[in-house]
Amino acid sequence: MNKQPKDQTLLHLQKRVREFIQERDWLKFHSPKNISMSIAIEAAELMEHFQWLGADGSKELLRDKQKRGEIEDELADIAIYILDFCEHFGVDLEKSILNKLDKTAKKYPVHLVKGKAHKYTYYLKRKQAKAL
């Protein structure tokens, strides 16, 4: 098992992923289409672990050491492909995440959504209905 210090930076992880791919001469296979498909495939593999389980069952699954390890592997696969995509196609992941959080905060203001799970369109419809 590869024990890494907790203070690994995103840039360090991207470098490790880049080196891994370069050492294997796999860059030629890493188009935006292929990487995005790989992200979706790995996400589906993650979902398979929880398929047909309720909320409590899915939480219980994470208590099983072997299953948790498999789930962590799927999460790592997804993260690796995301880092790979960003590295190869000039996406600043940190900036993208912060921008998306700002956009989402506007769609979901705390005073409207706290403790609720509706999609933002629900709040837009309510606002439009009140305006009539």
Side-chain angles (χ1 to χ4, degrees):
M1 181 186 285
N2 189 6
K3 292 281 185 187
Q4 294 294 324
K6 288 282 185 189
D7 64 349
Q8 297 288 338
T9 66
L10 199 55
L11 290 175
H12 176 78
L13 292 173
Q14 279 183 302
K15 180 178 182 268
R16 290 285 310 273
V17 170
R18 177 179 58 239
E19 290 169 353
F20 181 89
I21 293 165
Q22 287 174 342
E23 288 169 351
R24 288 154 181 80
D25 192 27
W26 286 349
L27 186 57
K28 58 189 164 202
F29 306 116
H30 288 225
S31 67
K33 177 194 80 72
N34 289 348
I35 299 172
S36 65
M37 290 175 71
S38 295
I39 292 168
I41 291 163
E42 296 299 340
E45 290 178 10
L46 173 64
M47 290 186 295
E48 274 186 309
H49 289 278
F50 300 103
Q51 189 176 14
W52 313 120
L53 299 176
D56 290 340
S58 64
K59 291 175 186 174
E60 184 65 32
L61 189 65
L62 288 168
R63 292 186 189 105
D64 179 297
K65 188 176 181 177
Q66 180 182 343
K67 289 293 183 185
R68 185 179 186 95
E70 293 170 7
I71 290 163
E72 288 175 358
D73 284 347
E74 299 304 345
L75 288 167
D77 286 338
I78 295 163
I80 288 166
Y81 281 121
I82 290 170
L83 292 172
D84 178 33
F85 191 103
C86 293
E87 168 72 19
H88 293 302
F89 303 108
V91 175
D92 182 331
L93 184 57
E94 184 177 353
K95 182 179 176 184
S96 296
I97 290 170
L98 293 173
N99 286 341
K100 182 61 178 180
L101 285 172
D102 288 343
K103 288 178 190 176
T104 305
K106 290 174 184 161
K107 283 184 185 177
Y108 296 94
V110 174
H111 71 280
L112 290 179
V113 304
K114 190 168 187 174
K116 300 174 186 167
H118 301 294
K119 186 173 177 179
Y120 74 94
T121 53
Y122 169 85
Y123 303 103
L124 288 176
K125 289 177 187 175
R126 288 186 65 195
K127 185 177 179 180
Q128 290 168 349
K130 286 181 181 180
L132 297 175

